[in-house]
Amino acid sequence: MSPITPVIFLLALLAGLFLGPRVYASPKTSESIVQSLEEKQRDAHTHEKILQGLTEQERKLFGNLQDVEVRIRRTTDEIQDLETELVRLRHEENRIQSEYRDLVQERTQTGEELRNLLTLLWPVHLQGIESKLQDLTSWDEADRQFHWLSRIYGLVQERIERLQAQARELALGQVRLERSRAEIDAQIIRINKGKDQLLAQKLDFLRRVQEVRAQKISTEEQVKEILQSIADLNYQLQTLASKTFSDQQGRMSWPGQGRIVQGFQPQASPPHRGLSLQMGKNDPVRAISPGKVVHSDLLRGYGHVVIVYHGQDYYSLYAFLNNAVVSVGQDVDKDEKLGQAGYYPKVDGPGLYFELRFHQNPVNPDNWLVAK
């Protein structure tokens, strides 16, 4: 293949004059990366201290778990005692109610007996009032009637007194019943209060554990992100340090994978100032080193040509590309895809013509690319 037209490198030369002879660098300088790295390291140290504090706080919480369990167990026992007492109070209430029902029944029975006695006594009383004892024929009969009436009157008086006593007992029973019910209500309130206290203790402990764990998880994620950022910044710093083109001699990636059809032969006729590679259809073509795209367009006889400026007046050229994916002014990194291998007449199929130039003079790529 004849050497590539100087028109291409005229464009590259103009781009080099425009860009200047400085060494190509990424948008981020090493100083800014170092500064960001130091900030991230300080953030990581701060977050790691926070994480240590949260871990210690979590450890203390679980260390106090036994005390919390003792308090919870004590509250549970108190609630059980209160519920046992409630059962006793309910039994007492049932006993008082039973006694109260018995008193009511006895009072009803006493009232019935008094009613029967009065029913029996009243006619005799009326008869005595009418006759004024005139019908009595002897002292013995009068004495018998007197004793009989006295006995009836005594029974009546006894039933009346019993009714009065039973009424008092009923009143006292009612007071005891109401007092028992009030005590039961108070006991239920104490039980519910104890249960509320127990639930509050459990919820408070769980809340504190969850808060610490949530903060710990969040801080762990932040530490991971910061450490990843530190790793990325270190990589950028290392990459930036290795971006000086002349320092990469012998370690550069190949622009494509394929068979070398013709190597660097500047003394041949016609001269061959680059590498001709036979490649597979649509195989990727990649930048050999970081740089800036200064040309990406069709050139008659060479297909789509991409030229990348690497600083220090070094350029790399990639011809016969198909579907170039970069544009002029774009920064590219090492091994970044520039396009795909297109039709290369020299190999009668997909291939790549590659040149490396310094101050517009071709240099042997074999001295720069990593040995195959």
Side-chain angles (χ1 to χ4, degrees), residues 161-179:
E161 291 175 356
R162 186 186 297 175
L163 280 175
Q164 292 174 345
Q166 289 172 343
R168 288 192 297 271
E169 289 180 4
L170 283 173
L172 290 175
Q174 184 66 31
V175 170
R176 288 196 300 271
L177 188 58
E178 292 176 356
R179 188 180 300 160

Side-chain angles (χ1 to χ4, degrees), residues 216-235:
K216 185 179 177 183
I217 292 172
S218 176
T219 305
E220 286 175 346
E221 291 298 325
Q222 292 177 12
V223 169
K224 287 180 181 178
E225 292 177 1
I226 292 172
L227 292 177
Q228 182 60 47
S229 298
I230 291 174
D232 293 342
L233 289 171
N234 277 322
Y235 174 77

Side-chain angles (χ1 to χ4, degrees), residues 25-273:
S26 66
K28 281 189 176 182
T29 64
S30 59
E31 291 81 3
S32 66
I33 293 177
V34 169
Q35 183 178 359
S36 299
L37 186 60
E38 291 175 350
E39 292 176 356
K40 291 295 183 181
Q41 287 173 339
R42 286 194 296 269
D43 288 344
H45 181 67
T46 301
H47 282 78
E48 284 174 351
K49 290 181 68 176
I50 295 174
L51 185 59
Q52 289 175 358
L54 290 172
T55 303
E56 182 64 25
Q57 188 175 351
E58 185 182 33
R59 189 179 298 114
K60 287 181 179 179
L61 274 177
F62 282 100
N64 295 332
L65 178 60
Q66 185 175 1
D67 295 337
V68 174
E69 289 177 343
V70 169
R71 291 198 301 271
I72 290 175
R73 194 180 306 115
R74 186 184 303 121
T75 304
T76 303
D77 292 341
E78 290 174 357
I79 291 174
Q80 289 178 349
D81 293 341
L82 290 172
E83 289 178 340
T84 301
E85 179 64 14
L86 178 61
V87 172
R88 189 193 67 77
L89 289 173
R90 291 194 184 279
H91 286 315
E92 182 68 15
E93 180 190 26
N94 292 334
R95 185 187 64 78
I96 293 173
Q97 285 180 338
S98 178
E99 291 179 354
Y100 187 81
R101 286 193 296 268
D102 292 342
L103 283 172
V104 171
Q105 187 175 356
E106 290 177 5
R107 184 175 181 276
T108 302
Q109 184 177 355
T110 302
E112 185 66 26
E113 292 176 355
L114 179 59
R115 188 163 40 251
N116 293 334
L117 288 172
L118 290 176
T119 301
L120 177 64
L121 182 61
W122 185 250
V124 176
H125 178 70
L126 291 179
Q127 183 180 0
I129 293 175
E130 292 178 357
S131 63
K132 297 181 181 179
L133 301 179
Q134 293 176 2
D135 296 335
L136 295 177
T137 58
S138 66
W139 175 256
D140 292 335
E141 184 179 353
D143 185 61
R144 284 194 303 272
Q145 188 170 356
F146 174 78
H147 282 289
W148 181 79
L149 288 174
S150 296
R151 178 60 180 165
I152 295 300
Y153 279 121
L155 291 174
V156 169
Q157 184 63 32
E158 181 185 344
R159 295 303 184 272
I160 291 173
E161 291 175 356
R162 186 186 297 175
L163 280 175
Q164 292 174 345
Q166 289 172 343
R168 288 192 297 271
E169 289 180 4
L170 283 173
L172 290 175
Q174 184 66 31
V175 170
R176 288 196 300 271
L177 188 58
E178 292 176 356
R179 188 180 300 160
S180 175
R181 288 173 177 171
E183 192 171 354
I184 287 174
D185 292 340
Q187 189 74 357
I188 291 174
I189 292 174
R190 286 192 290 269
I191 289 174
N192 290 334
K193 184 178 179 181
K195 288 181 178 179
D196 292 341
Q197 182 182 0
L198 177 61
L199 180 61
Q201 289 175 352
K202 291 181 178 179
L203 291 178
D204 180 65
F205 178 76
L206 291 175
R207 177 186 56 78
R208 286 187 291 163
V209 171
Q210 288 174 353
E211 285 178 356
V212 171
R213 283 182 174 174
Q215 292 178 14
K216 185 179 177 183
I217 292 172
S218 176
T219 305
E220 286 175 346
E221 291 298 325
Q222 292 177 12
V223 169
K224 287 180 181 178
E225 292 177 1
I226 292 172
L227 292 177
Q228 182 60 47
S229 298
I230 291 174
D232 293 342
L233 289 171
N234 277 322
Y235 174 77
Q236 291 180 24
L237 194 60
Q238 293 171 2
T239 302
L240 188 63
S242 64
K243 281 187 177 179
T244 302
F245 192 85
S246 58
D247 293 337
Q248 302 177 64
Q249 188 170 2
R251 300 194 304 272
M252 293 183 183
S253 301
W254 280 71
Q257 298 298 320
R259 183 175 65 89
I260 299 176
V261 175
Q262 186 175 1
F264 183 74
Q265 297 174 344
Q267 307 302 325
S269 181
H272 193 264
R273 298 184 176 91

